[in-house]
Amino acid sequence: MRNVSSSNSSRGIAAIVGVGPNLGRSIARKFAHEGYTVAILARDLGRLSRFADEIAREEKAQVFAIRIDCSETQSYGGPFNFSDIRLDSFQKSLAVASIGAFHCAQQVLPGMVERGKGTILFTGCAASLSGVAGFSELCCGKFALRGLSQCLAKEFHQLGVHIAHVIIDGVIGASRASQRLLAREQHCSVGGDGAMDPDSVAQTYWYLHIQPRAAWTQEIDVGSSSFRLV
């Protein structure tokens, strides 16, 4: 982290927590393209390092891979009968969705307040808005994350920190560029499975970051209605 903090980027530092092969990687690539030093964080350091090398090479940018455990899991699975859910499993789900975000926000907010600027973007889903039968673990955690985002947005707005909640209402697929590369390798056409292009969704995160303070958005819904959980 000291290496990241000592970066001489003129734009600043963008940290993306919980980076996977689709949306997280696309957001990291977008901010690197715009001149930011990028730190990508997740548990799998080997995979992160490959992403960092790829983005740094493509965008001629500084990209750091940092291992971090915010109690994130690969998938929620489900649906589950409520009576079968164990307390430790429910607590783990809350940690996955909200406690990790709480810890990360506490780490970066003091510096943002000191500088009088900064952006924190939380990622939710359709379960952030409405309960879904069989998914009480997921929904309760996502409700908590949305509440955290709303509270922080009101608390830190006057201090110059933009905090917003992004609702991903749909399925994020591989980027169109990755699909085209795979199609060429397999001599087939790009599939139209209805999944959202992560590079396009990443544009929304960039849009929120560069919004003028007088018109900050605190929540935005991005997605395909054909994939709604409600």
Side-chain angles (χ1 to χ4, degrees):
M1 288 300 291
R2 284 193 294 271
N3 290 336
V4 179
S5 299
S6 62
S7 165
N8 58 5
S9 169
S10 61
R11 298 301 299 271
I13 298 170
I16 299 94
V17 180
V19 170
N22 295 329
L23 181 57
R25 182 164 59 166
S26 289
I27 294 172
R29 181 182 293 111
K30 174 60 178 176
F31 277 79
H33 181 76
E34 298 294 340
Y36 280 76
T37 292
V38 173
I40 55 176
L41 302 91
R43 292 193 299 175
D44 188 340
L45 184 58
R47 184 170 70 169
L48 277 182
S49 297
R50 292 193 297 274
F51 293 164
D53 291 343
E54 169 196 294
I55 297 169
R57 183 176 62 254
E58 292 176 353
E59 303 298 341
K60 306 296 188 295
Q62 285 186 302
V63 184
F64 296 86
I66 301 171
R67 186 185 184 280
I68 188 173
D69 186 354
C70 288
S71 299
E72 187 153 352
T73 57
Q74 294 298 315
S75 173
Y76 277 90
F80 299 106
N81 292 324
F82 180 73
S83 58
D84 294 332
I85 299 174
R86 303 189 313 274
L87 176 60
D88 62 336
S89 176
F90 188 81
Q91 292 172 328
K92 179 72 171 181
S93 295
L94 290 177
V96 168
S98 58
I99 296 177
F102 169 85
H103 286 310
C104 290
Q106 278 199 329
Q107 291 297 312
V108 300
L109 274 168
M112 292 180 175
V113 171
E114 182 179 351
R115 292 187 297 273
K117 64 178 181 178
T119 305
I120 298 176
L121 304 176
F122 295 110
T123 300
C125 62
S128 306
L129 302 177
S130 179
V132 183
F135 289 89
S136 58
E137 289 181 290
L138 169 65
C139 293
C140 288
K142 290 299 185 181
F143 270 55
L145 177 63
R146 187 182 186 217
L148 175 67
S149 178
Q150 291 178 353
C151 291
L152 295 182
K154 292 177 171 60
E155 182 174 350
F156 290 94
H157 182 279
Q158 296 303 320
L159 299 175
V161 183
H162 183 192
I163 298 172
H165 182 238
V166 183
I167 300 169
I168 304 297
D169 185 9
V171 176
I172 302 287
S175 69
R176 299 297 290 179
S178 297
Q179 290 184 48
R180 286 193 293 270
L181 177 60
L182 181 62
R184 286 199 299 270
E185 291 175 348
Q186 297 182 352
H187 306 289
C188 61
S189 60
V190 175
D193 59 2
M196 290 186 284
D197 174 22
D199 289 344
S200 298
V201 178
Q203 294 285 348
T204 298
Y205 285 75
W206 175 252
Y207 160 75
L208 289 169
H209 174 61
I210 63 173
Q211 275 188 318
R213 182 173 176 175
W216 277 351
T217 296
Q218 294 183 350
E219 184 168 88
I220 192 167
D221 191 326
V222 181
S224 167
S225 59
S226 63
F227 284 93
R228 290 197 70 89
L229 291 176
V230 293

